[in-house]
Amino acid sequence: TDYLTNILNRRAFFEIADKMSQLAFRSKKTFSILILDIDFFKKVNDTYGHLVGDDILKHLVQNVLSEIRESDVFARFGGEEFIAFLSDTDEKGAFALAEKIRISIEATPYVDDTLCIPITVSIGASEQRDEKVLASLIKRADEALYRAKDNGRNKVEIG
């Protein structure tokens, strides 16, 4: 478990997602990966401090958890980056969920007693195709994430 956000950490994600992907391969079911990254998070930390940055990470996690299914595997991938394994979800479904998450986060700024900080995320999504290795699918989602950032941020791209 990630100590800050209380969701799975990267190692636990891979342990679970590897098993789920093997099961999906065997049963010929589709699945998708989402990778989310908070836009301009370094600027938030530099402006408001790391404690506020930590609170924003927790705020984002609660927001995402309210949008995904209990059967989805959601984890902190590193820093301000998060990953989700969506079983029985094709590219169209992954895109729709990613857009729902993106819109929800944009519509829900971080608020405390003195601050109101808007948050946006860029998201890369990819559907399992012929990959037999989860890392290949994650690589495509990561490449899509960087396209979303290159195309102006606060976007979803398919890889």
Side-chain angles (χ1 to χ4, degrees), residues 64-111:
V64 173
L65 288 174
S66 73
E67 300 295 340
I68 63 175
R69 304 169 296 190
E70 281 190 36
S71 61
D72 296 330
V73 179
F74 182 58
R76 187 168 179 196
F77 207 48
E80 73 277 8
E81 199 168 74
F82 297 86
I83 190 165
F85 182 103
L86 313 173
S87 55
D88 295 320
T89 305
D90 62 11
E91 184 176 282
K92 183 178 175 185
F95 182 85
L97 176 60
E99 266 298 298
K100 185 177 173 187
I101 290 168
R102 185 193 66 74
I103 290 165
S104 175
I105 290 168
E106 183 179 29
T108 313
Y110 168 77
V111 177

Side-chain angles (χ1 to χ4, degrees), residues 112-130:
D112 71 7
D113 293 336
T114 60
L115 299 170
C116 179
I117 303 170
I119 305 165
T120 62
V121 292
S122 298
I123 304 175
S126 60
E127 175 188 350
Q128 185 273 332
R129 294 182 188 144
D130 295 327

